[in-house]
Amino acid sequence: MESYLPIVILFVLFLLNIPIAFSLIASAMVYFLFLNSSIPVTLVMQRFISSAESFPLLAIPFFIMVGSVMNYAGISRSLLAFADAMIGHRTGGLAQVNVLLSTLMGGISGSANADAAMQSKILAPEMTKRGYGLPFTAAVTAASSSISPVIPPGINLIIFALLANVSVHQMFIAGYVPAFLMAISLMITIAFIARKRNYKPSRSEAASAKERWQYFLKAIPALLIPFGIILGMRFGLFTPTEAGAIAVLLCTIIGIFIYRQLEFRHFPMILRETIQGTSSVMFIIIGAMVFGYYMTLEQIPHNVASALIELTDNKYVLLLLINMLLLVVGMFIEGGAAMIILTPLLLPAVLNLGVNPVHFGIIIIVNIMIGGVTPPFGSMMFTVCSILKVKMVDFVKEVLPLLLALFSVLMLLTFSESLVMFLPNML
């Protein structure tokens, strides 16, 4: 049983609120220093370095930079105006705009926490002015932000593709249908709540066709970027890593010459945000790789896969059990870390039962996004509650119907592989 001691230490460190990367590295080093002295420490140090020497990992800083450039380029305001013109006249219109804006921004920011922080500052004050309760505003903002990482170029899509050795392009394509279903489910739920509470629309009347067209034309440059990335990879014009660099270039050009809001003084702040975001993600990945090295040596993924297969040989029952596990783990561990730790453990079992790895990746990512909204350690929950000064108890009461909607989508995706793989198989 001592071979499982680092895993126990890892969870204890998580519960003590030790940063994820330090928890992973400390747990792994307990194994290499005290439990398995046959592995030279110098070899472990080489693992630290070699884990970061991956060309596909360069996509991460580029796509983080894309989100930062977009925020300074005025894209969010353009998309907000377009979303408001489309559905702002409906009951609970501003809450609906919140969801639609997250969906539109998903292909740009690719980060749930970035989206949650942005909307907490841009939309939330306006929602409270128009009579929406602050806890409800926080719940909608956090729940809608779960859509962003499911739409390309979400960072989690890239990380899973690297962990599972599947096509980044296929993961990108597979994200669109699940994200659309998540948005629709949240908007339907919000419509029922808004009608019951008589939340007013953000517009007194629907925007005219001419007005919608004008806002759409202004939003076209932003809307075309994710589709341009997908098409470029589909036709072999560039790799996912090169796509990130091209996206940065396109966003910069659009921000300077089309929206004319991106200025030279913004670039130091963009670089600082990119470095901070990249360093935190990369440090976690390096820690996870070293921790994964320990698990490989002890054959823990193989043992877990064998144990799961012994429980059931039905892939849908197995996926249901895995969903339950991920939902519980997601309540206590940050989603990205949970994915990095659990993917190598769970993937062999689902592959043995014929589950498509891309389908499984979408299930994991949607699942951990739901975990990011749930207490006690949901990262999007913490983000919106801290910015909006909302008590967690009040937040939980308001977010429960929205979580139920997202969970319903998760179950639909779990038991319908053809739904997830519809677009990837077409392309």
Side-chain angles (χ1 to χ4, degrees):
M1 290 296 294
E2 68 176 16
S3 61
Y4 290 90
L5 181 60
I7 297 177
V8 175
I9 294 173
L10 178 67
F11 279 92
V12 170
L13 293 175
F14 279 155
L15 293 174
L16 292 174
N17 208 26
I18 304 298
I20 297 163
F22 291 112
S23 299
L24 289 164
I25 293 170
S27 304
M29 292 310 296
V30 167
Y31 173 78
F32 291 113
L33 291 175
F34 303 109
L35 302 179
N36 189 347
S37 57
S38 63
I39 305 294
V41 177
T42 52
L43 184 60
V44 179
M45 293 300 104
Q46 287 177 2
R47 282 274 169 172
F48 273 95
I49 298 170
S50 62
S51 297
E53 294 176 344
S54 170
F55 182 71
L57 284 178
L58 281 174
I60 292 174
F62 284 130
F63 282 121
I64 289 175
M65 191 173 187
V66 166
S68 185
V69 171
M70 284 292 187
N71 286 335
Y72 288 99
I75 295 297
S76 57
R77 285 182 288 276
S78 175
L79 291 175
L80 174 59
F82 172 58
D84 186 53
M86 295 301 294
I87 59 172
H89 62 283
R90 298 181 180 276
T91 303
L94 208 54
Q96 304 280 17
V97 168
N98 196 319
V99 177
L100 187 56
L101 182 59
S102 287
T103 308
L104 295 174
M105 283 293 293
I108 298 167
S109 71
S111 167
N113 288 313
D115 182 81
M118 180 198 72
Q119 301 225 56
S120 294
K121 295 172 184 175
I122 294 176
L123 259 184
E126 189 65 27
M127 287 180 68
T128 54
K129 281 181 188 176
R130 294 184 183 249
Y132 292 86
L134 191 57
F136 178 74
T137 299
V140 171
T141 302
S144 67
S145 68
S146 66
I147 301 170
S148 296
V150 186
I151 302 175
I155 302 302
N156 285 338
L157 295 170
I158 299 171
I159 293 174
F160 180 85
L162 296 172
L163 292 171
N165 195 28
V166 298
S167 165
V168 174
H169 169 243
Q170 279 209 315
M171 287 298 301
F172 277 7
I173 295 293
Y176 281 109
V177 170
F180 174 77
L181 293 174
M182 292 168 73
I184 292 297
S185 69
L186 288 177
M187 292 175 78
I188 291 172
T189 306
I190 287 169
F192 278 110
I193 296 172
R195 193 171 291 113
K196 183 179 178 181
R197 300 180 183 179
N198 197 29
Y199 285 138
K200 303 298 182 185
S202 60
R203 287 172 165 263
S204 57
E205 57 184 30
S208 65
K210 180 181 179 181
E211 190 178 2
R212 288 179 176 179
W213 178 250
Q214 289 174 341
Y215 283 120
F216 173 68
L217 290 177
K218 290 180 181 178
I220 281 179
L223 296 173
L224 287 180
I225 288 172
F227 291 105
I229 292 170
I230 295 296
L231 289 175
M233 290 190 294
R234 172 68 182 86
F235 292 108
L237 298 179
F238 39 72
T239 66
T241 301
E242 293 163 347
I246 291 170
V248 171
L249 178 62
L250 289 175
C251 293
T252 303
I253 292 171
I254 291 169
I256 293 174
F257 297 106
I258 297 180
Y259 290 103
R260 298 183 179 180
Q261 295 188 31
L262 187 63
E263 301 175 5
F264 182 77
R265 62 186 176 87
H266 293 143
F267 284 97
M269 293 178 281
I270 290 170
L271 289 173
R272 183 175 67 248
E273 291 174 9
T274 303
I275 292 169
Q276 289 174 342
T278 302
S279 60
S280 61
V281 172
M282 287 298 298
F283 199 20
I284 292 172
I285 290 174
I286 291 171
M289 293 293 186
V290 176
F291 193 81
Y293 182 40
Y294 135 71
M295 290 196 295
T296 302
L297 290 174
E298 291 294 327
Q299 295 188 317
I300 292 174
H302 173 76
N303 295 337
V304 171
S306 300
L308 287 172
I309 292 171
E310 286 179 8
L311 286 174
T312 178
D313 58 357
N314 184 306
K315 69 177 182 179
Y316 295 111
V317 174
L318 178 61
L319 288 175
L320 185 60
L321 291 172
I322 288 174
N323 270 324
M324 293 169 63
L325 171 65
L326 289 170
L327 286 169
V328 172
V329 170
M331 293 179 183
F332 299 95
I333 302 176
E334 192 273 329
M339 182 180 70
I340 290 170
I341 295 166
L342 295 176
T343 296
L345 287 171
L346 302 174
L347 189 63
V350 297
L351 292 181
N352 282 338
L353 294 182
V355 176
N356 187 298
V358 174
H359 176 215
F360 184 61
I362 293 297
I363 292 172
I364 284 187
I365 291 169
V366 172
N367 201 312
I368 64 175
M369 287 303 101
I370 295 174
V373 187
T374 55
F377 298 115
S379 60
M380 292 100 82
M381 177 192 69
F382 277 135
T383 298
V384 297
C385 287
S386 60
I387 293 175
L388 299 178
K389 304 294 188 291
V390 174
K391 293 181 180 179
M392 191 182 298
V393 175
D394 297 330
F395 173 88
V396 171
K397 290 178 183 177
E398 295 287 0
V399 85
L400 284 177
L402 304 176
L403 283 175
L404 183 60
L406 292 174
F407 183 75
S408 300
V409 173
L410 175 62
M411 290 298 98
L412 179 62
L413 297 173
T414 299
F415 297 114
S416 181
E417 180 178 316
S418 59
L419 190 63
V420 175
M421 299 304 298
F422 172 68
L423 287 178
N425 289 338
M426 281 184 63
L427 301 174

